[in-house]
Every structure is written in structure tokens, then in C-alpha cells.
Amino acid sequence: MTLTPKDALLQYHLAERLKLDIMMIAHQFVTIPSLKKEEKAGAKTILIALTDVLASDCEAAAKMTGADEFNQAAAVLLAVIGLAESNQFGLASDKSGEAMTPITTVAAGAFAVLHEHGLI
């Protein structure tokens, strides 16, 4: 599929925003073990909820743009939730990073189109 500059701009914007959100989630998972015992359950619940929202954002981006890579990232994030639910926070953080690969692919393709048209 050939991207128009307008489509490339939308894909690039969504991809960059999602990459930042994924990095934030990945970092937060590794902080849970250092929390006080009474704080861990609440932090876990909130991070799982945020990861679920992030997966939904990826799915919405796929619908808006037609880029299936966003769906691939959503699937990875759903796996992250499973790891977090079983208190495997280090693995959840590492797995979150795997969601970056398909999203980076979208961003790179969109960037190339924007660069080609002198927009970046």
C-alpha cells in the first residue's frame, strides 16, 4: 500500500506516541518489585489496566490506518498482561519491548514517505 503524506503523518504520529507509551509501561513494570508490600497490588492493577488501554489504542490505530503492525503490537501487549498477572514483572517489561518492533516498522515507513515529500 502506497502511503499518501496525510496517511504517513497519521501513522507516524500514532506510532511515535505509542512507542513512548510502551517505553513508559515497560519501565513501570520493573519498579513494582521495589515498592512497599502494601503498594504492589495497587500498582500491579493500575499497570495492567494501562497496558490493556494501550493494547486497545494499538488496535484503534490499526483500524484507523490499516497498518496490521499495530495489531501485532496489541497482541504482544496482551501477552504482557498475562505475565504481569502472574507477577513476572521483569518478563512483562522485556515483553513490552517486543511491541516496539512492529510499531517502529510503521514509524520508519511513514517517516520515509514524509521525508520523500520534504515534510521532515
Side-chain angles (χ1 to χ4, degrees):
M1 171 173 123
T2 303
L3 288 177
T4 66
K6 181 179 176 181
D7 292 337
L9 183 60
L10 178 62
Q11 282 190 10
Y12 187 74
H13 169 74
L14 292 170
E16 289 300 316
R17 190 196 59 143
L18 288 167
K19 286 189 330 184
L20 289 172
D21 290 346
I22 290 169
M23 285 187 276
M24 183 269 307
I25 288 290
H27 174 71
Q28 295 307 315
F29 276 120
V30 296
T31 65
I32 291 177
S34 67
L35 297 174
K36 296 176 186 172
K37 183 177 180 180
E38 62 273 9
E39 296 172 334
K40 287 181 182 181
K44 173 183 167 180
T45 300
I46 289 170
L47 284 177
I48 287 171
L50 288 172
T51 305
D52 187 51
V53 168
L54 188 53
S56 295
D57 286 350
C58 288
E59 291 168 349
K63 287 179 185 171
M64 283 189 274
T65 65
D68 190 54
E69 291 87 351
F70 288 119
N71 281 327
Q72 294 168 20
V76 172
L77 292 170
L78 293 175
V80 168
I81 291 171
L83 292 168
E85 288 174 337
S86 62
N87 297 322
Q88 298 179 65
F89 303 117
L91 290 174
S93 177
D94 292 344
K95 188 77 170 171
S96 296
E98 290 179 29
M100 297 289 282
T101 302
I103 291 176
T104 300
T105 300
V106 171
F111 181 89
V113 171
L114 294 171
H115 186 312
E116 178 184 313
H117 286 88
L119 299 170
I120 291 184

